């Protein structure tokens, strides 16, 4: 089966910047160096909601996008709503719930309209479009219920409805598997899109680390912080960009799910580094958060090993596991040195 090649347009990079900005705003949910369970749960829910909204439009562009006038227009509306959504993010869920869910309604409605237009045009296989329109209809209903509930009485019930919307978006595709031509999926384009949003997320992490570089008090700590981020970035690029076979026909579900966790892990690593500068932060909690984020990062990348090119001699499966294990050990050693220099 012929691999579908598709160029990543500049507007897609612009689109990624807005969503990474929204993800960076989530660091506001981390209070006083200790994240309460409720706050951490809220952080994860909002993170998944934002990434899912990003993925809905990314999948549409990957499968059907030709960047006609209506696609530009609806994408511009989607991005405008995403900026409003980002600016609603607050530690007080009651304050952000109404506008947040309204923005999600607008964003998903834009994508649903694009899929509906593709079904009406019937210019190429519409099986995937019909599947996604069904999923989006269910999600739109849930976000509408969440919006109305937040207007009447904002509370935890709204958060649980958003959780249901995330689960629907994540797992309904496994149950609604209507027939469609898998060749409409451009795996090379999709990999490049995930690489872009991950690299921009790393960039946000570097921006967050600039506070460590104090020219008046030169220490080893900022060098070690930068070295850790650089090593993580290098590991990601090596595994996903150089070792993976991008020219293939695949639904790429594992690639999608793994990058949810990769992006979240990079954000959590950034948060843990920021806690190093917070005198009120618990050292034990900071170390635990960093180790958990690193394990999540390496596990998510390792899950994509099924995409590694067959002509690359990496040895046995045990040897690949050993390489990943020692990579993790090296990162943890760097963090241990960093912790001691901080003390």
């Amino acid at each position: 089966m012929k691999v579908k090649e598709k160029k990543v347009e500049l507007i897609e990079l612009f689109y990624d910047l807005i969503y990474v900005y929204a993800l960076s705003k989530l660091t506001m949910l981390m209070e006083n160096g200790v994240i309460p369970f409720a706050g951490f749960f809220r952080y994860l829910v909002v993170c998944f909601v934002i990434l899912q909204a990003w993925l809905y439009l990314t999948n549409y562009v990957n499968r059907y996008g030709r960047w006609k006038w209506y696609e530009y227009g609806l994408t511009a509306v989607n991005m405008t709503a995403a900026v409003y959504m980002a600016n609603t993010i607050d530690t007080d869920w009651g304050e952000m719930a109404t506008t947040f869910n309204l923005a999600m309604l607008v964003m998903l409605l834009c994508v649903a309209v694009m899929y509906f237009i593709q079904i009406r045009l019937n210019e190429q296989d519409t099986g995937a479009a019909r599947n996604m329109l069904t999923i989006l209809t269910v999600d739109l209903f849930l976000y509408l219920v969440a919006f109305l509930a937040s207007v009447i009485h904002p509370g935890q019930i709204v958060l649980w409805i958003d959780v249901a919307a995330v689960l629907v978006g994540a797992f309904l595709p496994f149950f609604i598997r209507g027939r469609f031509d898998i060749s409409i999926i451009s795996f090379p384009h999709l990999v490049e899109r995930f690489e872009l949003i991950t690299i921009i997320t790393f960039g946000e992490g570097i921006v967050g680390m600039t506070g460590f570089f104090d020219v008046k008090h030169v220490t080893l700590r900022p060098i070690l912080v930068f070295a850790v981020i650089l090593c993580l970035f290098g590991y990601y690029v090596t595994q996903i960009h150089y070792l993976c076979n991008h020219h293939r026909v695949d639904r790429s579900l594992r690639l999608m799910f793994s990058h949810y966790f990769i992006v979240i892990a990079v954000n959590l690593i950034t948060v843990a580094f920021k806690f190093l500068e917070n005198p009120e932060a618990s050292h034990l909690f900071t170390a635990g958060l960093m180790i958990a984020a690193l394990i999540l990062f390496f596990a998510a990348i390792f899950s994509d090993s099924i995409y590694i090119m067959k002509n690359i001699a990496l040895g046995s499966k045990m040897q690949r596991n050993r390489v990943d294990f020692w990579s993790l050990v090296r990162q943890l050693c760097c963090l241990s040195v960093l912790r001691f220099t901080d003390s």
Side-chain angles (χ1 to χ4, degrees):
M1 190 178 292
K2 185 178 179 180
V3 176
K4 178 181 177 181
E5 300 287 347
K6 193 180 185 73
K7 179 184 176 183
V8 174
E9 301 292 341
L10 293 179
I11 191 173
E12 296 178 70
L13 176 58
F14 190 18
Y15 175 75
D16 290 352
L17 290 171
I18 291 175
Y19 275 83
V20 172
Y21 165 70
L23 290 172
S24 67
K25 292 276 290 184
L26 285 174
T27 55
M28 292 176 56
L29 298 179
M30 313 303 176
E31 304 177 49
N32 301 323
V34 176
I35 309 174
F37 176 77
F40 187 67
F41 179 70
R42 197 162 59 240
Y43 166 85
L44 289 178
V45 171
V46 176
C47 219
F48 275 110
V49 168
I50 294 172
L51 287 170
Q52 198 170 75
W54 174 86
L55 185 60
Y56 277 140
L57 184 54
T58 298
N59 273 335
Y60 168 82
V61 173
N62 178 266
R63 297 171 182 184
Y64 296 104
R66 296 181 181 177
W67 291 113
K68 297 182 178 180
W69 65 268
Y70 61 86
E71 292 172 326
Y72 277 112
L74 289 168
T75 300
V77 174
N78 182 294
M79 290 191 294
T80 303
V83 175
Y84 275 109
M85 177 196 66
N87 286 335
T88 65
I89 294 174
D90 192 89
T91 54
D92 186 348
W93 175 249
E95 289 290 327
M96 66 177 280
T98 302
T99 311
F100 180 85
N101 284 286
L102 178 60
M104 286 299 302
L105 270 173
V106 174
M107 291 154 61
L108 298 193
L109 184 60
C110 289
V111 182
V113 171
M114 285 191 250
Y115 275 117
F116 178 76
I117 292 173
Q118 288 301 319
I119 294 171
R120 298 294 296 174
L121 291 175
N122 197 26
E123 295 178 346
Q124 52 185 317
D125 181 74
T126 59
R130 295 179 188 278
N131 290 353
M132 287 306 303
L133 190 58
T134 301
I135 295 168
L136 282 166
T137 300
V138 177
D139 254 357
L140 282 167
F141 172 75
L142 290 172
Y143 283 116
L144 177 61
V145 172
F147 169 69
L148 295 175
S150 66
V151 171
I152 298 170
H153 182 67
Q156 290 301 313
I157 184 63
V158 179
L159 186 64
W160 286 109
I161 297 172
D162 286 339
V163 171
V166 170
L167 294 176
V168 164
F171 295 106
L172 203 55
F174 291 99
F175 297 97
I176 302 177
R177 300 177 63 90
R179 294 180 181 178
F180 71 90
D181 186 358
I182 195 174
S183 66
I184 67 172
I185 300 174
S186 174
F187 190 84
H189 174 269
L190 205 56
V191 173
E192 190 172 353
R193 298 291 286 108
F194 281 117
E195 286 177 346
L196 281 173
I197 195 168
T198 305
I199 291 169
I200 297 171
T201 304
F202 270 111
E204 285 289 333
I206 292 294
V207 171
M209 296 304 102
T210 55
F212 285 92
F213 293 83
D214 185 355
V215 294
K216 296 181 179 179
H217 302 89
V218 179
T219 62
L220 184 60
R221 184 169 61 178
I223 306 300
L224 292 174
V225 168
F226 183 74
V228 170
I229 295 178
L230 190 62
C231 287
L232 293 174
F233 174 77
Y235 184 84
Y236 172 81
V237 171
T238 301
Q239 292 283 345
I240 304 300
H241 185 74
Y242 290 108
L243 297 184
C244 286
N245 177 17
H246 295 181
H247 297 280
R248 61 194 299 150
V249 178
D250 195 286
R251 284 195 71 182
S252 58
L253 291 176
R254 182 176 298 201
L255 185 74
M256 297 179 192
F257 282 108
S258 67
H259 275 79
Y260 275 20
F261 295 104
I262 290 170
V263 171
I264 290 173
V266 173
N267 277 324
L268 288 177
I269 290 167
T270 303
V271 170
F273 275 135
K274 286 185 175 180
F275 282 174
L276 292 176
E277 291 285 275
N278 188 342
E280 298 180 2
S282 164
H283 288 188
L284 181 61
F285 178 82
T286 301
L289 179 63
M290 180 64 79
I291 292 171
L294 284 170
I295 291 173
L296 180 63
F297 177 83
F298 284 109
I301 292 181
F302 181 70
S303 71
D304 289 327
S305 60
I306 61 168
Y307 301 120
I308 290 178
M309 289 182 282
K310 294 181 179 179
N311 60 343
I312 294 179
L314 294 178
S316 66
K317 183 176 180 181
M318 184 179 296
Q319 287 174 322
R320 290 200 299 272
N321 287 340
R322 190 180 299 121
V323 169
D324 280 357
F325 172 78
W326 285 113
S327 296
L328 178 59
V329 169
R330 285 195 295 271
Q331 298 297 328
L332 293 178
C333 288
C334 284
L335 289 169
S336 298
V337 173
L338 178 63
R339 189 70 262 174
F340 281 118
T341 58
D342 185 49
S343 302

